[in-house]
Amino acid sequence: QEISDIVEKQRIFFQSGKTLNVEYRINALKKLKKVLKERENDINEALKKDLGKSMFESYMCEVGLTISEISYMLKHIKKFSKNKTVYTPLAQFASHSYIQPTPYGVVLVMSPWNYPVLLSLDPLVDAIAAGNTVILKPSNYSYYTSLILKEILESIFDEEYVSVVMGG
């Protein structure tokens, strides 16, 4: 029942149209990037507890790649969200054809245990950049990392925009 309530709240939030605004998405990604940099040591500790990863490995394989993905999306999000003109068939010569990027709505991201930060946050970043709302289900096997991700995401996003669901 809890998950159904979250999905319904996210559908309502998505239908409000707030996530269609590119500036709204950019602000969300900037917040996430800032908090990831601030909480990097906490994330490293959690990865050490769960998987025995060193600080170097945590940055190179998890946090650094996630920050890089956010930077990439921030640089390209306006281009990705623009309409793209395509060929118009001769029979419709008086019209204009284009492809319009449109978000799906509510997105579920389920992540495995082996790269819990990267494989949780990379798809989340892309889903936010596309204009979706996100439900994140981190792995049970990386408990401490899942807890820190939940704490971080709940501190910057409302439940109707990004929600973390723990458990089996």
Side-chain angles (χ1 to χ4, degrees), residues 57-103:
E57 184 182 6
S58 294
Y59 183 80
M60 292 302 292
C61 298
E62 302 262 3
V63 179
L65 289 174
T66 303
I67 291 172
S68 175
E69 180 70 12
I70 294 170
S71 297
Y72 179 83
M73 280 299 163
L74 286 171
K75 185 175 180 182
H76 295 93
I77 192 170
K78 288 183 180 177
K79 182 180 116 190
F80 290 160
S81 57
K82 283 185 180 175
N83 292 344
K84 293 171 184 69
T85 302
V86 294
Y87 171 76
T88 301
L90 188 58
Q92 283 85 32
F93 68 90
S95 64
H96 175 75
S97 301
Y98 60 92
I99 297 172
Q100 181 177 8
T102 308

Side-chain angles (χ1 to χ4, degrees), residues 29-75:
L29 293 175
K30 284 181 179 177
K31 276 194 248 179
L32 181 58
K33 184 177 182 180
K34 180 179 180 244
V35 173
L36 284 178
K37 288 179 178 180
E38 290 170 357
R39 302 287 304 270
E40 186 179 340
N41 288 334
D42 297 334
I43 295 169
N44 290 342
E45 284 179 33
L47 287 167
K48 178 89 170 154
K49 286 180 188 175
D50 285 334
L51 303 169
K53 290 189 178 190
S54 67
M55 192 190 250
F56 178 76
E57 184 182 6
S58 294
Y59 183 80
M60 292 302 292
C61 298
E62 302 262 3
V63 179
L65 289 174
T66 303
I67 291 172
S68 175
E69 180 70 12
I70 294 170
S71 297
Y72 179 83
M73 280 299 163
L74 286 171
K75 185 175 180 182

Side-chain angles (χ1 to χ4, degrees), residues 13-14 17-22 24-25 103 128 130-133 161:
F13 184 74
F14 177 75
K18 287 184 183 178
T19 64
L20 298 178
N21 182 334
V22 175
Y24 186 85
R25 303 179 214 176
I128 288 173
N132 298 294
T133 62
Y161 188 36

Side-chain angles (χ1 to χ4, degrees), residues 129-145:
N132 298 294
T133 62
V134 182
I135 299 173
L136 174 65
K137 169 59 183 85
S139 174
N140 291 341
Y141 298 112
S142 52
Y143 178 76
Y144 295 105
T145 307

